[in-house]
Amino acid sequence: RLEFFAHAPSVISYRLPTDAHFIRGGFGFRPSAYSLDNATSTDGAEFIITWTSHDGIKHELLRRRLDPRKLSTDRGIQSFRIAIPARAQTGDRLDLQITPGPADDATSDWTTWTDLVLESSP
């Protein structure tokens, strides 16, 4: 598994190739971020994927808040596959952003993006 460790808050920006139709991959927390023996465990984080067109219009493709300390379904890697709404043009950008939890406390926000792939076939 290819993992991009991106401690919240963070943004990974990528210029889209013109043949991009989908993005897929996963996101989540490293288990030590919410383990019971972590005295300062995470209060969660929000994962956001935004496509910005060449003319500056932003389109939110995904927004998901995870709180793995409280919700067992938020543990492990969360998979996604998202269509890019229109054929990408030169200058389009994809932003993968992670923000801290509700208290705006990034302590133990050991967050990752995994196995990111742009698909060129519709």
Side-chain angles (χ1 to χ4, degrees):
R1 177 172 87 192
L2 179 60
E3 182 176 77
F4 297 94
F5 178 68
H7 191 291
S10 67
V11 177
I12 297 172
S13 292
Y14 185 78
R15 292 276 177 211
L16 286 172
T18 57
D19 62 348
H21 293 280
F22 292 91
I23 180 170
R24 67 179 159 87
F27 56 88
F29 284 83
R30 290 189 172 166
S32 54
Y34 53 85
S35 71
L36 294 176
D37 58 347
N38 181 344
T40 59
S41 63
T42 184
D43 69 338
E46 192 165 43
F47 296 79
I48 306 160
I49 299 177
T50 305
W51 165 55
T52 304
S53 62
H54 61 284
D55 54 2
I57 298 172
K58 292 182 183 274
H59 305 270
E60 189 173 285
L61 304 179
L62 177 135
R63 179 180 291 263
R64 174 102 189 272
R65 183 175 180 276
L66 298 180
D67 189 349
R69 183 182 61 186
K70 292 182 181 174
L71 300 170
S72 61
T73 55
D74 286 353
R75 297 176 188 159
I77 298 301
Q78 310 294 308
S79 297
F80 67 90
R81 183 175 185 259
I82 303 168
I84 295 170
R87 189 169 179 92
Q89 297 183 31
T90 302
D92 288 5
R93 187 182 76 235
L94 201 62
D95 293 321
L96 293 94
Q97 180 180 10
I98 306 173
T99 62
D104 200 31
D105 180 2
T107 304
S108 295
D109 282 353
W110 302 325
T111 49
T112 65
W113 295 101
T114 62
D115 298 325
L116 298 173
V117 174
L118 284 173
E119 297 179 15
S120 58
S121 297

